Amino acid sequence: MLVSPSELFGSNREKPAVRQVYGLSGSGKSVMLCESLRSACRSKDFGAKHRFVVFDVKHDGYQTIAPPTPNVVTAIRQLNHQKVAVVHPDIKTAQDELDDLIDFLFDASDYDPEFSATLILEESSTFITGHKVPDSIKRFATQGRSKGLTLILVNQRALSSKWTDTQSSSITMFRMAIPDRKMLKDRWGLIAEDIDNKLKKQKFSFSHFDLESLTTTYYNAVQIPKVRVPIVKHRERYQSLFRNPFA
């Protein structure tokens, strides 16, 4: 079975706005998200005004989608005419940049009711801990659903924040760290050993746990195309040298 991009990234105004994705480094997590995002950007399931933003403090994994931008201001300019933007923020200012990005997504939604967006927050434990969730993420989680906004929290380890669990509609799991297994059982009654035994039979496969129906679905590894055509192509420097200044 293959995962549907609309199920993974689509906005649903009737379900919690947050979805969690986690798995060990090298388990196929970033590749699945990258290729699913490539499909989503070309899918008719998403409206013309839907935008995808990857906010990635680790600076790795999505370069085949779009050339990374160093800050949110540049990303917002790109979103005016492109479907997707990848942000590689400075770790020192990442929280402020994230706050500005979330403010922009809400402002855009208020300005245009047809606007919707998916924010993929890589290494989300950089911002979320067991005792602290930034106000901007709380706002996104609690108010984003009515605005057509979806937040994907991506991490190597299962998040220790019980608050984010209450705002999540699903969890997509790759092979996980042994210390996380008890947490899964205590929170949702999942037998992580059984899940991991199934996942290790096929490299890069993953499971999806629906927090409303409490059902687990298993998916095959995402196929990587021979040519990974970017959604946003890199603009060569010489192009700008010959741009018509009066256009």
Side-chain angles (χ1 to χ4, degrees), residues 10-48:
S11 301
N12 189 327
R13 298 174 191 264
E14 298 179 357
K15 289 187 177 183
V18 180
R19 294 156 200 178
Q20 299 183 41
V21 180
Y22 55 79
L24 292 171
S25 177
S27 63
K29 177 177 72 272
S30 294
V31 171
M32 183 278 286
L33 287 169
C34 185
E35 295 311 316
S36 297
L37 182 55
R38 197 187 313 277
S39 297
C41 288
R42 298 185 174 120
S43 173
K44 295 181 180 179
D45 291 340
F46 297 89

Side-chain angles (χ1 to χ4, degrees), residues 1 35 39 48 70-71 73 80 82 94 103 110 118 132 151 181 192 194 206 209 216 239:
M1 182 180 291
E35 295 311 316
S39 297
N71 53 60
V73 171
N80 283 331
Q82 299 289 355
D103 283 343
D110 288 339
T118 303
K132 181 181 178 181
L151 176 61
R181 296 178 183 181
D194 293 345
F206 56 97
F209 182 60
T216 304
Q239 289 180 324

